Amino acid sequence: MLIDTHCHLTHERFRDDLPEVLSNAARVGVTGVIAVASDLDDARVVEGLVGGDPRDGRTPRIWGTAGVHPHTASKAPDELPERLGEFADRGAVALGECGLDYHYDLSPRDAQLQVLDDHVEAARSTGLPLVVHCREAEKDMKEVVRGAARRGVRGVLHCFPGDLDLLEVAIESDWRVSFTGLVTFSSFAGVEAVRRVPRDRYMLETDGPYMAPVPLRGRRNEPALVPHIRDRVAEIRGESPDDVERDTTATALSFFGIEEGMTP
Ligand SMILES: [Zn+2]
Ligand SMILES: [Zn+2]
């Protein structure tokens, strides 16, 4: 029982063969996928994918998120917390992905910070967790995570590259991190973070269609490739793949509050 906690199933690269993508995932034991939205239009499309019963062995169950990626923060709609609340009322299991991306800086940083704060506010009022993207913005992110925790908001730092200070802040704040296929790259600089993170504080994700793990690097990434990430994390931590699978699934179920419908 594996959960891909972050995949962009609405991406155009899945348009032609999504049913096959999902059955391939089910075949290798992926029983759940969190379909992550990049903006509110995308979040409407995500809502159309939600559902499925993993008990037939042919498809994982799919849950959805709603949020505005930092790349498009400057185009976020007005009254964003209220708009996000509407998605929460219709069953979104998390808000995001939101965050800070100072690598590409596609939106001005003050807009990124404001839109991220809107997500924190919506998370506070709905009780949903956040799915957070952070690239080259560790300093500001530490403040955001601490501030969110003071408001009772939990989140996951997705595609975690391994900054140990930020990991410490996340753990102190009862946040989670999740690891992608990045862990399989020889250039991966976060080995120590994978080793140190407590077993109940991290999850696995593909971030498909981006960043396929070795040995499939360069191909389209998809939920069926989660086992590669699980196996590399297990190797780094000196644990068995079964242990990693059990721990990360338990963490995902409780973090997203999605216990129901997952019993085999
Ligand atoms: Zn991201
Ligand atoms: Zn993403």
Side-chain angles (χ1 to χ4, degrees):
M1 192 156 127
L2 272 169
I3 299 183
D4 181 352
T5 62
H6 190 121
C7 187
H8 297 276
L9 289 179
T10 53
H11 195 280
E12 59 179 7
R13 291 178 71 188
F14 291 121
R15 195 182 299 148
D16 294 337
D17 64 346
L18 187 60
E20 216 177 305
V21 165
L22 295 175
S23 63
N24 288 341
R27 199 171 307 128
V28 297
V30 176
T31 48
V33 179
I34 307 291
V36 172
S38 300
D39 60 37
L40 297 194
D41 290 338
D42 189 26
R44 292 309 299 241
V45 184
V46 161
E47 286 182 324
L49 297 179
V50 166
D53 186 343
R55 284 172 292 191
D56 65 9
R58 286 199 294 269
T59 180
R61 176 150 176 177
I62 298 169
W63 295 271
T65 76
V68 179
H69 195 282
H71 287 346
T72 52
S74 56
K75 297 191 204 107
D78 294 336
E79 296 173 348
L80 183 57
E82 292 77 7
R83 300 288 311 279
L84 291 170
E86 293 161 17
F87 284 93
D89 291 343
R90 289 197 300 269
V93 296
L95 301 178
E97 68 177 289
C98 51
L100 302 173
D101 193 314
Y102 295 172
H103 176 77
Y104 287 108
D105 272 329
L106 295 183
S107 284
R109 291 181 184 182
D110 55 347
Q112 295 189 39
L113 284 160
Q114 177 57 53
V115 165
L116 176 53
D117 190 63
D118 286 345
H119 285 80
V120 174
E121 175 51 28
R124 189 199 58 75
S125 65
T126 60
L128 292 183
L130 294 173
V131 175
V132 176
H133 170 107
C134 175
R135 189 147 180 213
E136 294 174 22
E138 283 77 9
K139 188 165 168 283
D140 283 354
M141 188 54 72
K142 282 179 221 167
E143 290 312 305
V144 170
V145 170
R146 285 198 185 101
R150 280 194 295 271
R151 289 153 80 180
V153 169
R154 291 168 311 124
V156 57
L157 296 169
H158 104 91
C159 194
F160 193 68
D163 184 282
L164 292 176
D165 288 341
L166 183 54
L167 178 66
E168 203 177 302
V169 170
I171 289 168
E172 281 166 12
S173 305
D174 196 25
W175 277 44
R176 308 287 179 268
V177 298
S178 60
F179 297 111
T180 57
L182 208 58
V183 300
T184 66
F185 295 4
S186 56
S187 58
F188 179 57
V191 168
E192 199 49 38
V194 174
R195 221 173 257 144
R196 277 197 212 177
V197 65
R199 60 192 321 147
D200 57 348
R201 297 301 188 90
Y202 75 98
M203 301 181 280
L204 306 176
E205 58 160 312
T206 58
D207 202 13
Y210 313 107
M211 253 183 324
V214 172
L216 303 157
R217 198 171 171 180
R219 262 186 40 175
R220 178 184 69 181
N221 198 4
E222 56 183 78
L225 303 185
V226 184
H228 293 279
I229 301 163
R230 172 200 62 198
D231 293 352
R232 177 62 184 141
V233 166
E235 187 179 32
I236 292 171
R237 291 174 66 83
E239 296 172 1
S240 73
D242 283 351
D243 285 344
V244 169
E245 180 163 333
R246 191 194 55 238
D247 289 344
T248 54
T249 297
T251 302
L253 292 176
S254 75
F255 177 77
F256 291 104
I258 54 173
E259 290 86 350
E260 275 174 43
M262 290 300 296
T263 40

PDB file of all heavy atoms in Angstrom, residues 6 8 69 97 133-134 158-159 207, ligand 1:
ATOM      1  N   HIS A   6       1.966  13.450  -4.207  1.00  0.00           N
ATOM      2  CA  HIS A   6       2.040  14.695  -4.982  1.00  0.00           C
ATOM      3  C   HIS A   6       2.264  14.354  -6.454  1.00  0.00           C
ATOM      4  O   HIS A   6       3.365  13.978  -6.854  1.00  0.00           O
ATOM      5  CB  HIS A   6       3.193  15.553  -4.459  1.00  0.00           C
ATOM      6  CG  HIS A   6       3.243  16.954  -4.999  1.00  0.00           C
ATOM      7  ND1 HIS A   6       3.180  18.073  -4.193  1.00  0.00           N
ATOM      8  CD2 HIS A   6       3.370  17.436  -6.260  1.00  0.00           C
ATOM      9  CE1 HIS A   6       3.269  19.168  -4.921  1.00  0.00           C
ATOM     10  NE2 HIS A   6       3.387  18.811  -6.192  1.00  0.00           N
ATOM     11  N   HIS A   8       0.887  15.681 -10.529  1.00  0.00           N
ATOM     12  CA  HIS A   8       0.074  16.597 -11.344  1.00  0.00           C
ATOM     13  C   HIS A   8      -0.648  15.791 -12.422  1.00  0.00           C
ATOM     14  O   HIS A   8      -0.280  15.835 -13.594  1.00  0.00           O
ATOM     15  CB  HIS A   8       0.951  17.696 -11.927  1.00  0.00           C
ATOM     16  CG  HIS A   8       1.566  18.566 -10.874  1.00  0.00           C
ATOM     17  ND1 HIS A   8       0.901  19.639 -10.315  1.00  0.00           N
ATOM     18  CD2 HIS A   8       2.748  18.495 -10.224  1.00  0.00           C
ATOM     19  CE1 HIS A   8       1.668  20.199  -9.383  1.00  0.00           C
ATOM     20  NE2 HIS A   8       2.793  19.521  -9.310  1.00  0.00           N
ATOM     21  N   HIS A  69       0.104  28.004  -7.297  1.00  0.00           N
ATOM     22  CA  HIS A  69       1.565  27.839  -7.287  1.00  0.00           C
ATOM     23  C   HIS A  69       2.251  29.217  -7.253  1.00  0.00           C
ATOM     24  O   HIS A  69       1.745  30.172  -7.841  1.00  0.00           O
ATOM     25  CB  HIS A  69       1.958  27.078  -8.569  1.00  0.00           C
ATOM     26  CG  HIS A  69       3.341  26.534  -8.548  1.00  0.00           C
ATOM     27  ND1 HIS A  69       4.449  27.315  -8.764  1.00  0.00           N
ATOM     28  CD2 HIS A  69       3.800  25.271  -8.340  1.00  0.00           C
ATOM     29  CE1 HIS A  69       5.539  26.548  -8.684  1.00  0.00           C
ATOM     30  NE2 HIS A  69       5.169  25.306  -8.431  1.00  0.00           N
ATOM     31  N   GLU A  97      -0.692  23.308  -4.625  1.00  0.00           N
ATOM     32  CA  GLU A  97       0.525  23.698  -3.989  1.00  0.00           C
ATOM     33  C   GLU A  97       0.702  25.186  -4.046  1.00  0.00           C
ATOM     34  O   GLU A  97       0.376  25.848  -5.032  1.00  0.00           O
ATOM     35  CB  GLU A  97       1.729  22.972  -4.589  1.00  0.00           C
ATOM     36  CG  GLU A  97       2.097  23.319  -6.012  1.00  0.00           C
ATOM     37  CD  GLU A  97       3.374  22.548  -6.416  1.00  0.00           C
ATOM     38  OE1 GLU A  97       4.466  22.875  -5.922  1.00  0.00           O
ATOM     39  OE2 GLU A  97       3.233  21.622  -7.216  1.00  0.00           O
ATOM     40  N   HIS A 133       5.613  24.357  -1.700  1.00  0.00           N
ATOM     41  CA  HIS A 133       6.762  24.301  -2.609  1.00  0.00           C
ATOM     42  C   HIS A 133       7.770  25.355  -2.144  1.00  0.00           C
ATOM     43  O   HIS A 133       7.390  26.487  -1.867  1.00  0.00           O
ATOM     44  CB  HIS A 133       6.225  24.616  -4.009  1.00  0.00           C
ATOM     45  CG  HIS A 133       7.242  24.838  -5.078  1.00  0.00           C
ATOM     46  ND1 HIS A 133       7.481  23.910  -6.076  1.00  0.00           N
ATOM     47  CD2 HIS A 133       8.071  25.878  -5.340  1.00  0.00           C
ATOM     48  CE1 HIS A 133       8.413  24.375  -6.896  1.00  0.00           C
ATOM     49  NE2 HIS A 133       8.783  25.570  -6.483  1.00  0.00           N
ATOM     50  N   CYS A 134       9.032  24.969  -2.049  1.00  0.00           N
ATOM     51  CA  CYS A 134      10.053  25.932  -1.627  1.00  0.00           C
ATOM     52  C   CYS A 134      11.305  25.707  -2.449  1.00  0.00           C
ATOM     53  O   CYS A 134      11.893  24.632  -2.413  1.00  0.00           O
ATOM     54  CB  CYS A 134      10.374  25.745  -0.147  1.00  0.00           C
ATOM     55  SG  CYS A 134      11.725  26.797   0.427  1.00  0.00           S
ATOM     56  N   HIS A 158       7.140  19.945   0.148  1.00  0.00           N
ATOM     57  CA  HIS A 158       7.215  18.880  -0.847  1.00  0.00           C
ATOM     58  C   HIS A 158       8.512  18.988  -1.648  1.00  0.00           C
ATOM     59  O   HIS A 158       9.158  20.028  -1.662  1.00  0.00           O
ATOM     60  CB  HIS A 158       5.948  18.916  -1.728  1.00  0.00           C
ATOM     61  CG  HIS A 158       6.146  19.491  -3.082  1.00  0.00           C
ATOM     62  ND1 HIS A 158       6.475  18.703  -4.171  1.00  0.00           N
ATOM     63  CD2 HIS A 158       6.094  20.749  -3.543  1.00  0.00           C
ATOM     64  CE1 HIS A 158       6.594  19.489  -5.235  1.00  0.00           C
ATOM     65  NE2 HIS A 158       6.373  20.727  -4.888  1.00  0.00           N
ATOM     66  N   CYS A 159       8.867  17.880  -2.285  1.00  0.00           N
ATOM     67  CA  CYS A 159      10.123  17.797  -3.056  1.00  0.00           C
ATOM     68  C   CYS A 159      11.283  18.333  -2.222  1.00  0.00           C
ATOM     69  O   CYS A 159      12.048  19.187  -2.669  1.00  0.00           O
ATOM     70  CB  CYS A 159      10.002  18.562  -4.373  1.00  0.00           C
ATOM     71  SG  CYS A 159      11.329  18.182  -5.533  1.00  0.00           S
ATOM     72  N   ASP A 207       5.864  13.872  -7.847  1.00  0.00           N
ATOM     73  CA  ASP A 207       5.813  15.184  -8.493  1.00  0.00           C
ATOM     74  C   ASP A 207       5.713  15.004 -10.010  1.00  0.00           C
ATOM     75  O   ASP A 207       6.165  15.852 -10.774  1.00  0.00           O
ATOM     76  CB  ASP A 207       7.017  16.069  -8.126  1.00  0.00           C
ATOM     77  CG  ASP A 207       6.732  17.561  -8.324  1.00  0.00           C
ATOM     78  OD1 ASP A 207       5.550  17.930  -8.495  1.00  0.00           O
ATOM     79  OD2 ASP A 207       7.693  18.356  -8.325  1.00  0.00           O
TER      80      ASP A 207
HETATM   81 ZN    ZN B   1       6.480  22.088  -6.429  1.00  0.00          ZN
END
